[in-house]
Amino acid sequence: MNVVDFHCDVLCKLLMDEQLTFRAGKPESLDVTYERLKAAGTVLQTFAIYIPQSLNGRLEPILESVDRFHQLILTCEDMIWVRTGQDLDFCINNGKIGALLSLEGVDGLQGQMSMLRIMYQLGIRAAGLTWNHANWAADGAMEPRGGGLTAKGRTFVEECNQLDILLDVSHLSERAFWDVAELSARPFIASHSNARAICDHPRNLTNMQIEEIIAKEGLVGITFVPWFVSQAEVVKMDDLLRHIEHICELGGETHIMLGSDFDGIDRYIKGLTHPGELISLQDALLKRYSSKQTEQFMSGNALRFLKNSLPKA
């Protein structure tokens, strides 16, 4: 089956270590490599631009991350830059691997909508307003005060709607989540979040949040971050499947995708440490769900959503 993964942090590692390449090497330094994406049957991988706190708030690291994307990822022969629905169709029809850019935290745009428009021109097609903390746009999930969107944050949401940039609510505070839900005229996603009813972590979504994403025709990216999956010392595949089952029980069967967070974690679910092992997840799903349902989770839901949400051309 094809694979779509809506979140990895490869670009952050490539930004911080100029010795790394996207090709497999020894010693292995990346979870996600070109070879592993090919082995997994990946049709689309979203590459998040995440700027570490030591560099955050500046535009230059964002631009450098875009450059790494072009120099190290798009130079691989079967990698295709996905900015439109046509680009995505080309990947599907020609056995290529689509590469989509997202922005995880907009601190470096410094509240300037002109910078957001430039990000669109540079190929950004999804954006999360903040990381875990507060910035000029919103409070994050780990910010103690739990505030919502700022005035500039509200303008940001409206501008993303105009530009066809997907809004990503994964790192938002609950109040900011509901501000986005009220304000956005377009469906939105949680690129890498699980169900809080299964694992009580602030980065996971409540039942009401999941139901709102479903009602707005958005998607939830099931993430492989062990501490978002279970509080057990050793996290197993069955623990991850419980989140999928719960979202399905809430009516979300056609609103589930994958959002691994590979290269953003240093602990792993047993047997799920890089894209080459996604076949194990597929096999586990097939023991509980039909082939059609499994295909939806692995790629189908995300592809359908993106064909409707990306700019046509």
Side-chain angles (χ1 to χ4, degrees), residues 5 18 63 76 92 104-105 107 110 121 144 154-156 161 170 204 238 252 259 264 299 301-302 305-306 312:
D5 176 15
E18 294 186 1
L63 299 178
C76 296
I92 296 168
E104 186 177 20
D107 305 55
Q110 299 176 4
Q121 295 299 323
R154 298 179 72 86
T155 301
F156 181 89
N161 278 183
S170 265
N204 284 340
D238 282 349
S299 66
N301 291 336
F305 177 83
L306 286 170
K312 301 303 179 186

Side-chain angles (χ1 to χ4, degrees), residues 164-179:
D164 287 342
I165 294 177
L166 293 171
L167 288 161
D168 183 354
V169 299
S170 265
H171 278 280
L172 288 179
S173 69
E174 287 193 49
R175 182 175 174 185
F177 172 98
W178 290 109
D179 285 347

Side-chain angles (χ1 to χ4, degrees), residues 30 39 42 62 80 84 129 222 264 293:
L30 296 176
T42 302
I62 296 176
I80 300 295
T84 68
L129 284 82
I222 296 296
Q293 289 170 314

Side-chain angles (χ1 to χ4, degrees), residues 128 130 132 141 168-172 189-193 202-205 221:
T130 187
N132 286 334
D168 183 354
V169 299
S170 265
H171 278 280
L172 288 179
I189 64 170
S191 65
H192 56 306
S193 295
R203 273 279 284 101
N204 284 340
L205 301 166

Side-chain angles (χ1 to χ4, degrees), residues 8-22 27-33 36 47-52 55 61 64-65 68-69 72-73 104 261-268 273-275:
C8 77
D9 281 311
V10 166
L11 287 176
C12 181
K13 286 186 176 179
L14 295 176
L15 175 69
M16 301 304 289
D17 186 348
E18 294 186 1
Q19 301 304 310
L20 290 178
T21 73
F22 188 53
E28 193 67 64
S29 301
L30 296 176
D31 301 335
V32 178
T33 64
R36 285 172 171 172
F47 294 87
I49 296 175
Y50 166 70
I51 307 304
L55 300 175
E64 290 174 8
S65 297
R68 299 288 198 281
F69 177 73
L72 299 176
I73 293 172
E104 186 177 20
D261 210 4
F262 282 141
D263 287 297
I265 51 179
D266 55 8
R267 288 168 42 212
Y268 301 88
T273 64
H274 60 74

